[in-house]
Amino acid sequence: MDTIFSSVDDSEVETLLETAKNNKGHSLSREELLSFAKAKASDFNVTDGFIDSLTRAAAQQKLGDVTFALNLLGTRAGSLALTGHFKAYKDLTRKEREEVMKKWSTSSLEMLRGLHKLFYQLTVSNIFKQMDCPLHKVMGYPGPDPHMHGEKHTSKLKERYEFLNIPEGVTELNYDVVVVGTGAGGGPVAATLAKAGKKVLVLEKAKYVHESEFELNEVHGFTNFYERGTIFSNLSGSMNIYAGSAFGGATTINWCASLKPQHFVRDEWASEGLSHFVSSKFTEQLDQVYQRIGATTKHIKHNEPNSILIEGCKRLGYPIEDIPQNVGEHPHECGWCFLGCRYNEKNGSMNTWLRDAREAGAEFVDQCYVDRVLVKKGKAVGVECTIAGNKNRKLIVHSKQVVVSAGSLNSPGVLMRSGLKNKNIGKHLHMHPCHLAFGVFPDREINLFQGSIMTALSNISENHDGTYYGAKLEVPVLHPGSFSAVVPWRGAADYKRHVLRYRNISPVLILSRDKDSEGTVTYDDNNNVIVDYNVTARDKKSILIGVEKALDVLVAAGAEELFTVQSGVDNFHFIKGEEDYGQINNKRYVAWKEKVKAYGLPDAGCGQYNAHQMGSCRMGVSPKVSVVKPGGETWEVKNLYVADASVFPSATGVNPMVTTEACALYIADTILQSDAVAPRL
C-alpha cells in the first residue's frame, strides 16, 4: 500500500508544487502541499478497510491468488519469481517496488495485471473515500453535500414506510401476490397489482433507510445501497461492477438518466417473436413511465463536465442531446445522487411506484432474503424467506402468484434455489461495458462532483458498423473514492499529480452496447453473486472507437492534456507553440491515438466498468432460448413471473431504468389478464 500511495522525493515535490501553481483553483499553502507530497498510505490507518474491501470486492476464487502472491512476496525465493529481485518485497527500495508494480500493470500475465489492479484500486479508494480524509482539501472536495441539512432538504421529507415486524420463529402469511424486489421492476408491478385490488406483499433484501438518514458520503452510500456493500469485480477481476441493493433498487442510487429504448432495439426484440415491443401498447407504457417519474429535459442545468461534452461535440459537428431526468419540475443540481437523494426530487421507485403501492394497500418487509419459491403441482404457491440473516426468523408467505424482480444478478438465484432447471437461467448476461477518457483543463475549474450528474449524450459511434452495437458518450460522476480508483497509476509521484488536478479534470464515459459478450451469473457457497463475463474482441473494438471519439471531443473543448485508463499508455500533452496546437489533426496527437488503439483493452490491464446488468432470465418464444414467456411467466412454473431487466433479450444500449419499468407494466398487465381468463373452480 505504501508503494501505491507513497511519500515522494524532493525533486518530485517540486514538480507537484509547479502543478498546483499552473492549475486554476488551487489556494493551498506550500506547507499543505508538502504534507500531501510526503503522505503515504500507512498514515491513514486503512489496512482494515483494505482487507474488508478485498473480501467484498474480489470473487471468492481470487482471494486464494491474493494470499498466494502475498506469501510469495514475503520470501526471497518467492519474491524472485514475482519481482525479479532475490529479496523480500518489503526490503526493496521505493523505486524498485514501484518498478515492480509498473511491470505488473502491463505484464503479459493476466494474474499479475489483476494483482496490480486489485492492490492499487483498493489502496487508494480506502484512503480517499473516508468522509474525514484530510486529502480532500488538496482536491478541493467539500465532503458530504454541504447543503444536505438546509431548508431545501428538510422541507421535502416524506413520511417513512412502515414494515411488517416478523418475530423469531416461523411466521405464515397469506397474500394474493408476493413481489420480490423493490426496484425498477418490482415497484411498477406492486403498484399496478395493488391498484387493481390485489393484496400485495413486497419483499426487499436490503434494509430500508429513510432519506433523512442518507449521509451522502461514499462509505455509507456504498455500504448500504450497493450489492456486496461495495464496487465488486467480475470473476476474472477485469471489470468493476456497480449494482444497486437498496429499498427502491438501483433507482435509489442511479444518476437520473431516463432514456427510452431506441427503435432498433425494439425492432430487434420484435424480430425474435416479441411483437409487444413494437406495439402501440408498449409505447403507451413507456409514456406512462415518463409521466409517473417526471422525466423531462425542461429544467436541466448542465454542470462543467456535461458542458465540456456539449462544447466539444458541437465544435466537431457530432450529434449531442439532453438526457431526460426523472426529477419532474426540479432542476436538481445534485452531484451526490449516486449515494441516494435526500431531497425527494429524484423519482426513483421509492419516491413513486412504491408510494403508489403503499397507498393502494400493499405491505412491505425489508431485510428479507427469499430462500426459495414454493412450488406445488407445477404452480408457484408462495415463498420461504429468512429475515435479517437470522435462520431462526423465518417467513412463509402463501400466495396465488409470485413475481421475482430481484434484478439480473439475483433473480437467477431465486429461480435456481427454487428448483427450476431451465438451462438459460443465469445465462445471456449483458453488461454495457464502459471505459473512460479524461481531459485536463488547467485554466478551468471543473469540480466534477458539482451539479447534475448525467445530462447530455452523444451517439456518434453507436452505429459504427451498421449493427447499432456501438457506444455512446456520456458523463460520469467521480467523487474522490471513485476518482482515485480509475485514474491510472504509473508511479506514486505521477499519481499524486493527477490527484492534485482533480478539480481541473473532466471525464467522458464510453458506454457500449455489447453484441457478443454474453456472461453468466452463478453463486458461491454464501450465495454471493459471481459474474463470469469478459468483453470480446469485437466489443472491445466498439469501445475503442468510442474512446477515440471521446478524446477528440475533449480536445475540441480545449483540453491541454489527455489520458485514458490504459496502464500501458502515457498521457498526451500539447506543447505550446507547436503546429496545430490543441487540434485533433495535430500529428503527435494523431500518433498518440494510434498507441491507444494499438494497446487496446487487455483484461485487467485497463479500466472496464459496468453499472447495467441485463438478460440473465431472458424473454423469448421458446424454453430452448429463454427463461420466461412473452408476458414474463416462467416456462417451467405457472404463476411464477420475472419482471426486471433480466428479461431483456439483449442489451438496450441506454440506461435501462425506463425500459425495465415499462416491461414491468407489461408483465403486470399480463398477470391481470391471466386472472381474467383463468377458469373458475
Side-chain angles (χ1 to χ4, degrees):
M1 294 172 74
D2 274 347
T3 303
I4 297 296
F5 197 75
S6 174
S7 174
V8 301
D9 62 34
D10 290 343
S11 63
E12 293 167 327
V13 168
E14 291 304 317
T15 300
L16 291 176
L17 293 174
E18 191 68 17
T19 296
K21 177 182 175 183
N22 293 330
N23 285 267
K24 185 177 181 179
H26 291 273
S27 58
L28 299 169
S29 67
R30 182 180 178 85
E31 289 71 27
E32 288 171 325
L33 287 167
L34 286 173
S35 177
F36 167 67
K38 294 299 182 182
K40 57 186 183 301
S42 53
D43 297 336
F44 300 94
N45 192 28
V46 292
T47 306
D48 289 344
F50 178 96
I51 295 170
D52 178 64
S53 296
L54 177 63
T55 56
R56 289 173 182 261
Q60 194 174 46
Q61 294 91 324
K62 288 292 179 182
L63 296 179
D65 291 348
V66 175
T67 303
F68 178 68
L70 289 172
N71 285 335
L72 285 179
L73 290 173
T75 67
R76 290 193 298 171
S79 182
L80 178 64
L82 291 181
T83 73
H85 296 274
F86 189 57
K87 51 184 174 181
Y89 184 77
K90 66 182 177 64
D91 295 327
L92 301 178
T93 67
R94 175 204 148 202
K95 289 294 186 182
E96 288 173 333
R97 285 184 276 118
E98 277 198 0
E99 286 305 311
V100 168
M101 282 287 179
K102 289 179 185 178
K103 288 179 180 178
W104 283 7
S105 73
T106 58
S107 171
S108 60
L109 297 176
E110 184 178 328
M111 187 192 81
L112 292 182
R113 297 197 305 271
L115 286 172
H116 166 265
K117 176 176 178 283
L118 198 65
F119 289 139
Y120 135 62
Q121 291 189 336
L122 294 186
T123 295
V124 294
S125 64
N126 275 285
I127 294 171
F128 286 96
K129 74 180 182 182
Q130 299 300 323
M131 185 170 65
D132 57 353
C133 176
L135 302 181
H136 288 172
K137 183 177 181 181
V138 175
M139 304 172 77
Y141 179 71
D145 186 354
H147 305 294
M148 61 191 279
H149 297 297
E151 183 180 351
K152 179 182 177 183
H153 159 60
T154 56
S155 64
K156 295 181 180 179
L157 286 178
K158 293 187 178 181
E159 61 185 5
R160 292 176 179 271
Y161 283 83
E162 302 86 17
F163 294 85
L164 299 181
N165 181 33
I166 309 300
E168 293 238 346
V170 178
T171 300
E172 296 197 42
L173 301 171
N174 292 281
Y175 286 82
D176 293 329
V177 183
V178 175
V179 178
V180 181
T182 59
V189 168
T192 302
L193 299 183
K195 287 193 285 187
K198 285 183 174 289
K199 187 180 180 183
V200 176
L201 181 65
V202 184
L203 309 177
E204 171 56 56
K205 74 181 175 71
K207 182 179 180 181
Y208 171 68
V209 182
H210 187 256
E211 290 91 338
S212 64
E213 298 162 339
F214 292 179
E215 297 182 11
L216 304 190
N217 68 73
E218 290 180 276
V219 173
H220 179 269
F222 283 112
T223 301
N224 288 280
F225 302 142
Y226 285 75
E227 188 73 26
R228 296 179 68 164
T230 190
I231 303 164
F232 67 98
S233 297
N234 63 337
L235 182 59
S236 69
S238 61
M239 178 178 285
N240 293 352
I241 299 172
Y242 298 68
S245 180
F247 189 75
T251 71
T252 297
I253 45 86
N254 71 7
W255 300 353
C256 298
S258 303
L259 292 160
K260 293 180 180 179
Q262 293 162 282
H263 65 91
F264 50 84
V265 175
R266 296 175 65 176
D267 290 343
E268 179 184 301
W269 293 0
S271 72
E272 296 184 17
L274 303 172
S275 59
H276 177 78
F277 293 110
V278 291
S279 68
S280 60
K281 181 64 176 176
F282 188 59
T283 299
E284 291 169 7
Q285 288 161 341
L286 290 166
D287 291 341
Q288 182 182 346
V289 169
Y290 257 40
Q291 182 177 10
R292 184 62 191 96
I293 68 175
T296 179
T297 59
K298 284 195 302 183
H299 303 287
I300 287 177
K301 294 184 179 179
H302 297 292
N303 67 358
E304 282 294 295
N306 281 281
S307 296
I308 284 170
L309 175 62
I310 293 167
E311 290 169 22
C313 285
K314 286 184 175 180
R315 288 172 184 169
L316 294 174
Y318 290 176
I320 187 73
E321 62 189 77
D322 289 349
I323 299 176
Q325 308 284 292
N326 62 332
V327 295
E329 296 301 312
H330 306 285
H332 198 62
E333 297 178 84
C334 172
W336 280 260
C337 258
F338 72 108
L339 305 171
C341 178
R342 283 183 65 110
Y343 304 117
N344 285 299
E345 293 177 351
K346 181 171 70 176
N347 290 317
S349 185
M350 182 165 66
N351 211 21
T352 54
W353 307 107
L354 297 176
R355 292 281 175 192
D356 297 344
R358 176 177 175 269
E359 290 173 7
E363 296 182 300
F364 302 86
V365 181
D366 70 341
Q367 300 185 81
C368 181
Y369 183 84
V370 176
D371 298 309
R372 64 188 179 105
V373 176
L374 302 174
V375 179
K376 186 176 182 180
K377 295 182 180 180
K379 294 183 179 181
V381 294
V383 294
E384 181 180 306
C385 315
T386 299
I387 305 299
N390 184 346
K391 294 181 179 179
N392 296 318
R393 289 177 69 188
K394 289 289 185 178
L395 172 63
I396 296 175
V397 186
H398 303 285
S399 66
K400 299 172 185 176
Q401 289 146 330
V402 176
V403 183
V404 178
S405 300
S408 294
L409 300 186
N410 288 291
S411 286
V414 176
L415 301 187
M416 291 174 186
R417 295 193 299 272
S418 304
L420 278 72
K421 303 297 183 184
N422 185 301
K423 67 179 182 179
N424 297 293
I425 296 172
K427 303 294 196 301
H428 310 294
L429 178 72
H430 289 278
M431 296 276 279
H432 285 169
C434 298
H435 196 72
L436 289 164
F438 295 90
V440 183
F441 296 79
D443 298 326
R444 190 167 179 173
E445 272 195 79
I446 306 299
N447 291 334
L448 54 87
F449 56 86
Q450 289 182 339
S452 302
I453 295 172
M454 180 181 280
T455 55
L457 74 82
S458 174
N459 59 13
I460 181 61
S461 65
E462 74 175 6
N463 193 30
H464 65 87
D465 62 356
T467 66
Y468 286 105
Y469 279 94
K472 291 179 172 64
L473 307 184
E474 298 178 317
V475 169
V477 61
L478 293 172
H479 287 236
S482 301
F483 175 84
S484 66
V486 299
V487 172
W489 187 91
R490 305 187 187 105
D494 182 76
Y495 182 79
K496 286 187 173 182
R497 181 169 166 269
H498 282 102
V499 170
L500 194 56
R501 298 182 299 173
Y502 172 71
R503 73 191 79 196
N504 308 108
I505 290 176
S506 194
V508 174
L509 178 74
I510 298 90
L511 182 145
S512 70
R513 183 180 183 222
D514 54 346
K515 188 175 192 294
D516 53 11
S517 301
E518 291 187 340
T520 62
V521 175
T522 55
Y523 304 88
D524 64 21
D525 295 339
N526 297 314
N527 285 326
N528 291 314
V529 65
I530 300 170
V531 176
D532 189 0
Y533 177 98
N534 293 292
V535 185
T536 62
R538 186 263 168 219
D539 289 339
K540 286 180 179 179
K541 180 180 178 181
S542 285
I543 296 170
L544 283 169
I545 291 170
V547 170
E548 184 177 8
K549 298 297 185 184
L551 292 168
D552 285 351
V553 166
L554 290 165
V555 170
E560 295 186 15
E561 183 178 337
L562 299 114
F563 60 94
T564 68
V565 286
Q566 297 164 298
S567 298
V569 181
D570 290 335
N571 293 20
F572 175 82
H573 306 254
F574 283 106
I575 300 173
K576 296 280 189 183
E578 70 177 327
E579 185 179 359
D580 295 321
Y581 172 83
Q583 302 297 315
I584 64 171
N585 61 341
N586 177 286
K587 291 181 180 179
R588 289 192 310 106
Y589 170 67
V590 172
W592 177 75
K593 280 198 301 180
E594 289 301 315
K595 292 180 182 179
V596 169
K597 289 160 61 178
Y599 185 79
L601 303 173
D603 290 340
C606 67
Q608 294 180 19
Y609 313 97
N610 167 264
H612 305 150
Q613 302 87 39
M614 301 154 284
S616 56
C617 296
R618 71 196 305 258
M619 185 182 291
V621 296
S622 164
K624 293 180 180 180
V625 296
S626 61
V627 176
V628 301
K629 307 171 186 177
E633 188 178 40
T634 64
W635 289 103
E636 292 178 76
V637 178
K638 287 188 67 63
N639 298 330
L640 174 59
Y641 294 81
V642 180
D644 54 33
S646 72
V647 305
F648 292 2
S650 62
T652 55
V654 297
N655 308 62
M657 176 182 66
V658 171
T659 309
T660 304
E661 293 180 341
C663 283
L665 293 177
Y666 164 42
I667 292 165
D669 283 348
T670 302
I671 293 171
L672 294 176
Q673 291 168 16
S674 71
D675 289 344
V677 300
R680 295 186 179 182
L681 301 179

